[in-house]
Amino acid sequence: MEFPDRSEVDGLIDPQPLPEFARVRYEPRAERLDGVAETARKELDELALDGLDSGATVAVGVGSRGIDRIDEVAAAVVERIAERGFEPVVVPAMGSHGGATPEGQREVLAALGVTEERVGAPIDARMGAERLATAGVGDADLPVYFSEAALAADAVVVVNRVKAHTNFTGEIESGLTKMTVVGLGKQRGAKSFHSTALAEGYVETLTAALDVIEEETPLVGGIALVENFEEEIGHLEAVPAGSFLAREPELLERANDEMPTLPVDDVDLLVVDEIGKEISGAGMDTNVIGRYRVLNAPDPETPDVDLIYVRGLTEATKGNGNGIGLADLTRRSAVDQLDLKKSYANALTSGSLAKSKLPVVAPDDEFGLRTAAAALGAYDPETARIVWIRNTQDLGEYRVSDAVVDDLPEGADVVGRETVAFEDGTARFEAAGGDASGA
């Protein structure tokens, strides 16, 4: 596909001046759990492994998110399983991620630091999933699938972060239940789940599928992680099988209390430097940007963001640009990073097609920001409310236009004043009256 270059569109939209920006640092009090490996080892002993014979195989489900110190936690869980006389095996629990291939799922885990060498156990990344049974969900019949690699083990433990989901709100969202149902369902299970959930509801579908899995598989429990505002693990605990639905709502409430958010709810233009699967399943956290864009699930009431401009993809996402469709604008260099096979594997499995649509593609930052200003209508640099962030995970430092400064939350400190300059069309920040730095 050919996109217009700068010379072909330059005359369509007049240049607009950009406001001055304040560089802001926001560091709310956040409780960080030190010694996560020791805590994980201790908590694992709370799960029902005592009935296993010596040498029994224990599958450890690990997912595809950029969770703080996930390699340490996974290695500690594996080590403790081995110390107790069992044979650990790591099973990628990530549905269709990594292009729905064994090689792709190994690659995703490796990007998170989870390798056979690091965790001390083999990784069984086969994509096969066995159909367990059919669960009734509303007016639908839900085929429930489970990883063949996990079923081959004598016991299954999942390790995951509990947090707000990117498609829906409910008593349970992302966490142990979803990893068990969707992650260990592999591509077939993830597709079956999403197809039903879009029509009958996410929580209802998760609940029905989990009932089947607890009845038909050797699931013994999970290690639940909750992160703080700084995206560091603040809490870790073991949750036995049969208790996921009772315990996860409380953990989710804690996660929501500490979840990073934009500094203000009313934003004209949000500029996002990078999106990626390790940041959020939707590339950028939909709860942060205020956009789900899924059927039968209304967008969050806040924040209210008029336009979003995405500038690129992270290295760790390996070309999976799922979520770029949540933006209104992007630039050519971001599109050049896309691996459509991986992006489409996500979209086709989840049924959330909007997240993989291409937004308007600008040749560079200069034209992209000019286009955004024009699209806002009655643009005035003195009143334009612009927030510029690295990604939706790292919100301890960001930039805001002058019109936003007076509305910053308590604890947010302005640490510099900057203007935007362009070098070959690429945006760079300059300290007011000083040197340029990369945007």
Side-chain angles (χ1 to χ4, degrees):
M1 179 181 295
E2 293 187 8
F3 298 99
D5 60 30
R6 182 67 179 272
S7 64
E8 295 174 304
V9 295
D10 209 32
L12 299 178
I13 300 176
D14 294 333
Q16 296 285 354
L18 291 176
E20 186 172 286
F21 285 83
R23 184 160 57 90
V24 180
R25 187 167 295 134
Y26 181 50
E27 298 177 345
R29 181 180 176 276
E31 182 178 343
R32 182 182 191 271
L33 176 64
D34 295 320
V36 292
E38 293 80 2
T39 305
R41 288 164 52 87
K42 177 182 176 182
E43 287 296 312
L44 183 75
D45 288 342
E46 299 298 316
L47 301 182
L49 297 174
D50 292 338
L52 298 178
D53 295 332
S54 178
T57 303
V58 180
V60 180
V62 181
S64 59
R65 302 290 185 259
I67 301 171
D68 176 44
R69 293 172 283 173
I70 187 61
D71 55 336
E72 292 184 41
V73 175
V77 169
V78 164
E79 182 180 50
R80 183 58 183 152
I81 288 171
E83 286 176 354
R84 294 183 61 177
F86 309 127
E87 296 293 330
V89 57
V90 171
V91 177
M94 59 181 77
S96 66
H97 298 178
T101 67
E103 298 77 16
Q105 299 213 334
R106 282 177 171 272
E107 183 181 47
V108 171
L109 287 185
L112 303 176
V114 179
T115 63
E116 292 183 348
E117 295 75 20
R118 173 68 180 93
V119 301
I123 296 176
D124 190 337
R126 62 181 129 157
M127 290 300 298
E130 180 178 321
R131 181 168 176 168
L132 301 178
T134 299
V137 186
D139 295 327
D141 290 328
L142 169 69
V144 180
Y145 294 87
F146 202 71
S147 162
E148 291 177 355
L151 279 175
D154 299 297
V156 178
V157 175
V158 293
V159 181
N160 200 22
R161 171 179 57 193
V162 176
K163 68 183 294 289
H165 196 269
T166 57
N167 278 4
F168 67 97
T169 57
E171 291 186 349
I172 52 171
E173 297 183 29
S174 282
L176 302 179
T177 300
K178 183 171 180 291
M179 170 172 276
T180 302
V181 172
V182 184
L184 286 177
K186 296 295 185 173
Q187 194 277 334
R188 294 185 73 185
K191 177 61 177 173
S192 177
F193 165 80
H194 285 293
S195 295
T196 303
L198 286 170
E200 303 295 339
Y202 284 86
V203 174
E204 295 82 358
T205 307
L206 283 171
T207 302
L210 183 65
D211 287 344
V212 171
I213 291 170
E214 289 181 331
E215 180 70 25
E216 301 290 338
T217 76
L219 178 70
V220 297
I223 302 295
L225 316 172
V226 179
E227 292 182 337
N228 60 26
F229 177 88
E230 300 292 343
E231 302 290 340
E232 299 171 328
I233 295 174
H235 179 74
L236 183 157
E237 71 174 72
V239 183
S243 300
F244 287 4
L245 299 178
R247 183 61 184 140
E248 284 197 64
E250 294 181 26
L251 296 175
L252 178 61
E253 183 176 354
R254 175 171 180 163
N256 286 340
D257 287 342
E258 301 203 31
M259 182 176 66
T261 60
L262 295 180
V264 293
D265 287 336
D266 182 15
V267 179
D268 295 329
L269 172 63
L270 174 65
V271 181
V272 183
D273 286 337
E274 59 183 11
I275 65 172
K277 291 295 293 183
E278 82 282 13
I279 293 169
S280 171
M284 45 186 166
D285 193 321
T286 56
N287 296 286
V288 172
I289 66 172
R291 296 182 179 183
Y292 288 156
R293 298 297 192 264
V294 295
L295 297 176
N296 301 326
D299 285 345
E301 292 184 5
T302 57
D304 181 11
V305 179
D306 292 336
L307 293 177
I308 298 178
Y309 173 48
V310 166
R311 303 180 64 235
L313 277 60
T314 63
E315 171 61 28
T317 201
K318 303 299 181 184
N320 188 337
N322 186 54
I324 198 165
L326 294 170
D328 304 286
L329 286 161
T330 190
R331 60 176 177 172
R332 176 62 186 270
S333 58
V335 174
D336 290 342
Q337 293 177 275
L338 289 174
D339 182 326
L340 290 181
K341 180 179 179 181
K342 292 179 180 178
S343 303
Y344 278 28
N346 240 173
L348 297 177
T349 299
S350 68
S352 186
L353 304 181
K355 291 185 177 65
S356 287
K357 291 180 179 179
L358 277 184
V360 171
V361 179
D364 54 34
D365 282 329
E366 186 172 9
F367 193 81
L369 291 169
R370 183 193 303 182
T371 302
L376 288 173
Y379 170 77
D380 181 347
E382 293 187 5
T383 60
R385 297 174 64 83
I386 303 175
V387 176
W388 194 311
I389 62 176
R390 179 185 175 191
N391 56 54
T392 58
Q393 187 177 60
D394 300 323
L395 293 173
E397 187 167 306
Y398 46 81
R399 295 172 172 94
V400 300
S401 61
D402 276 347
V404 177
V405 171
D406 288 343
D407 297 328
L408 290 172
E410 183 178 353
D413 297 318
V414 175
V415 296
R417 291 280 178 173
E418 299 175 327
T419 58
V420 177
F422 297 98
E423 183 176 333
D424 295 327
T426 299
R428 294 177 64 81
F429 281 101
E430 291 183 348
D435 296 330
S437 62

